[in-house]
Amino acid sequence: MNVTEQRWHVLMAHRPRLLALAARMGAGADAEDVVQDALLRTATFANLMEERAWPFLATVTARLVVDHHRRTARDQLLSRHAALMPRPQEFEEAVADGDEARRAATLIARLDPEIRHLLCLRMEGATWVQIGSARGESAAAVEMRYRRATAPVRRAVNRAAGSRK
């Protein structure tokens, strides 16, 4: 038996106690998942001494149960507030959104290649400061040129969206 298998056997010996701990802390039906996650996290911990396995496992399990409670409470809160829940999109809305996207794509294709490049950079998460510094310009200048060039696209898409409401 190699060191990894030996370590796993030592950790698995604590599994029944961990299940009891997770159940006492209120993990309920998710106790198995919590314990399995704790065992996997502990197994990958490089500097764990065998005599410290139980306290370490107990701590990891307790923290995972607390995380489980927080997640459950957040989900319950969201479910009580219908406005916060994502609602399924109506078929008509989906079709209209697709139409908007096609109209916007047509208008964007007509933009200057430089502006289309700026649009791609922004979609990839680049900030105005990053784009400006790469181009040797101020962030404000790049942003202003971009906004002026894309204003007709925004107006056309907003006009189309307003006409369907």
Side-chain angles (χ1 to χ4, degrees):
M1 183 182 306
N2 65 30
V3 174
T4 306
E5 290 173 353
Q6 182 180 0
R7 177 182 241 192
W8 188 248
H9 284 293
V10 168
L11 295 177
M12 288 301 289
H14 296 292
R15 190 172 181 282
R17 288 173 63 193
L18 291 171
L19 283 169
L21 174 65
R24 271 193 321 274
M25 291 184 71
D30 294 319
E32 288 275 348
D33 293 338
V34 167
V35 168
Q36 186 66 25
D37 194 12
L39 287 167
L40 288 172
R41 289 180 186 207
T42 303
T44 60
F45 190 75
N47 299 323
L48 182 66
M49 296 181 291
E50 264 185 50
E51 61 273 4
R52 299 287 305 147
W54 168 249
F56 189 85
L57 276 166
T59 301
V60 171
T61 301
R63 289 180 181 170
L64 288 172
V65 170
V66 169
D67 290 345
H68 168 72
H69 286 306
R70 286 182 183 144
R71 200 171 28 258
T72 302
R74 183 188 65 235
D75 292 347
Q76 286 175 352
L77 179 66
L78 286 174
S79 70
R80 277 186 251 140
H81 297 284
L84 299 176
M85 291 297 290
R87 62 179 181 85
Q89 191 174 29
E90 297 294 326
F91 175 74
E92 293 81 11
E93 289 178 16
V95 169
D97 288 347
D99 289 343
E100 273 181 30
R102 279 188 288 284
R103 269 193 301 280
T106 302
L107 294 169
I108 289 169
R110 294 180 190 158
L111 290 174
D112 181 72
E114 175 190 359
I115 300 300
R116 282 197 316 265
H117 179 70
L118 292 177
L119 179 66
C120 288
L121 291 173
R122 288 292 291 173
M123 287 174 47
E124 292 170 357
T127 65
W128 292 120
V129 173
Q130 291 169 331
I131 295 170
S133 104
R135 300 177 60 80
E137 301 177 49
S138 74
V142 173
E143 181 181 6
M144 184 58 66
R145 188 168 61 253
Y146 169 83
R147 293 204 183 283
R148 284 182 182 153
T150 58
V153 174
R154 282 193 303 280
R155 281 193 300 271
V157 170
N158 289 339
R159 235 187 343 266
S163 67
R164 70 178 168 105
K165 289 183 181 175

